[in-house]
Amino acid sequence: MPKLRKYKLIILLFLASVMYLLGLPYCTKAGQYWIDLMDKYSGGWAVLIIGTLECICIGWVYGTKRFRKDIKLMLGDKCKACNSRYTYWYFAISWKFISPLLLIACVIFSWIDYKPLVSGKYVFPAWANAIGWLITLSVLFGFFGWIGYCLIDIFYLKPRPFKTLFQPEAEWGPLRMEHKRMATHLPNLEHYHDSKRIKKSTLSLNTIQYQ
């Protein structure tokens, strides 16, 4: 978030300290069991659900055409795949239909095939599996928690039309001013668009940063 950039050092120190403390249990004799627990419950079907929702957001909410133009803006005119309609339709169909359906199928099969965690001959107790489910819920909380906050915000805190949830903020887009002017496909940046000042250029992947 742009507002937090001036506190970058403090935030990095805080996060590094927290991650260090959270990593200490993995250095104990029970560390391998904690790793098995995290591996099963933090990287399983919860991640697949998030991946499904990301595909839906890109394919159906933000739009594959707009996303294609974002990629072209970042990679420049030399990106042949960005200019190929065959490549576009391949990714559009994948993001809209194939990937979400395959991910949903994987989630369903993982639920059907679920078994309490076992590591070698050691069977994890019920309380350990309960912690595992809490880990899974914590992975999903970042996504669904934000959705809940946005709903509370538009209905109670700052009442406004529901459709605004599917619209970008006024300043969302490339970070630098010259790149904002080039992002002519983003309607929220219309006040930056000036055809006389837009220059065609080849941009590297690291050139454009988004807010």
Side-chain angles (χ1 to χ4, degrees), residues 1-12:
M1 295 177 65
K3 295 180 181 179
L4 299 178
R5 284 184 183 140
K6 59 182 178 179
Y7 306 109
K8 181 178 179 180
L9 181 59
I10 296 175
I11 294 173
L12 288 176

Side-chain angles (χ1 to χ4, degrees), residues 70-194:
D70 283 342
I71 296 174
K72 185 177 179 180
L73 183 64
M74 289 186 285
L75 298 182
D77 294 332
K78 289 186 177 181
C79 177
K80 295 181 180 180
C82 298
N83 298 315
S84 171
R85 62 179 178 178
Y86 300 107
T87 304
Y88 164 71
W89 281 111
Y90 168 77
F91 282 107
I93 293 172
S94 296
W95 291 332
K96 283 188 172 184
F97 303 104
I98 299 176
S99 295
L101 290 175
L102 289 177
L103 289 170
I104 291 172
C106 290
V107 171
I108 294 173
F109 286 126
S110 67
W111 285 344
I112 295 174
D113 196 45
Y114 170 77
K115 296 177 182 178
L117 183 59
V118 177
S119 180
K121 295 182 179 180
Y122 179 74
V123 179
F124 281 70
W127 63 265
N129 286 284
I131 292 176
W133 281 103
L134 290 176
I135 293 172
T136 299
L137 293 176
S138 70
V139 173
L140 295 173
F141 179 78
F143 197 98
F144 291 101
W146 182 253
I147 293 176
Y149 168 77
C150 290
L151 292 174
I152 293 173
D153 186 49
I154 66 165
F155 287 122
Y156 300 103
L157 301 180
K158 298 177 182 178
R160 57 189 185 275
F162 181 75
K163 66 179 182 180
T164 58
L165 281 180
F166 303 95
Q167 298 172 348
E169 295 182 358
E171 293 299 318
W172 185 88
L175 181 61
R176 296 181 179 178
M177 187 65 66
E178 59 269 28
H179 299 150
K180 288 181 184 291
R181 298 192 183 102
M182 297 177 67
T184 54
H185 62 289
L186 299 178
N188 60 302
L189 298 179
E190 285 182 352
H191 51 292
Y192 290 107
H193 301 160
D194 184 352

